């Protein structure tokens, strides 16, 4: 009977070790998932900020072009005759 108890103890220890490994794997998975979500969110925010900056730059260039066309427009050419 002593052999049966030690076999049962080994089995219990194996199950506890397996459960501990699963818990550690799950914790690592959750940490990677959390980091992945944060990284994707940060990438999305960076992308949106870049698009806003491009739109602002385009609007600024359009405004400059409009101002330049107004300041360089001197009206119709005078007749040389």
């Amino acid at each position: 009977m002593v052999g049966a108890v030690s076999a049962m103890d080994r089995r219990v220890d194996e199950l506890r070790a397996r459960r501990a490994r699963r818990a550690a794997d799950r914790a690592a998975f959750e940490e990677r998932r959390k980091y992945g979500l944060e990284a994707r969110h940060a990438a999305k925010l960076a992308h949106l900020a870049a698009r806003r900056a491009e739109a602002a730059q385009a609007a600024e260039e359009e405004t400059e072009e409009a101002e330049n066309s107004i300041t360089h427009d001197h009206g119709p050419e005078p007749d040389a005759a």
Side-chain angles (χ1 to χ4, degrees):
M1 195 71 178
V2 174
V5 173
S6 65
M8 194 180 340
D9 288 340
R10 280 195 304 270
R11 180 71 178 146
V12 168
D13 289 341
E14 289 172 6
L15 291 174
R16 284 183 181 148
R18 186 183 305 164
R19 186 177 296 154
R21 282 193 306 271
R22 279 195 310 241
D25 288 346
R26 182 67 185 176
F29 170 79
E30 288 296 328
E31 190 63 29
R32 285 191 306 272
R33 183 175 86 63
K34 179 182 172 189
Y35 175 74
L37 291 174
E38 290 171 352
R40 282 193 297 270
H41 184 67
K44 183 177 180 180
L45 290 178
H47 173 72
L48 292 175
R51 287 183 62 189
R52 279 192 217 115
E54 288 173 3
Q57 181 68 28
E60 184 178 314
E61 289 173 1
E62 187 176 302
T63 303
E64 287 177 6
E65 287 175 7
E67 288 174 354
N68 289 341
S69 67
I70 292 171
T71 57
H72 295 297
D73 186 16
H74 299 293
E77 292 291 322
D79 290 335

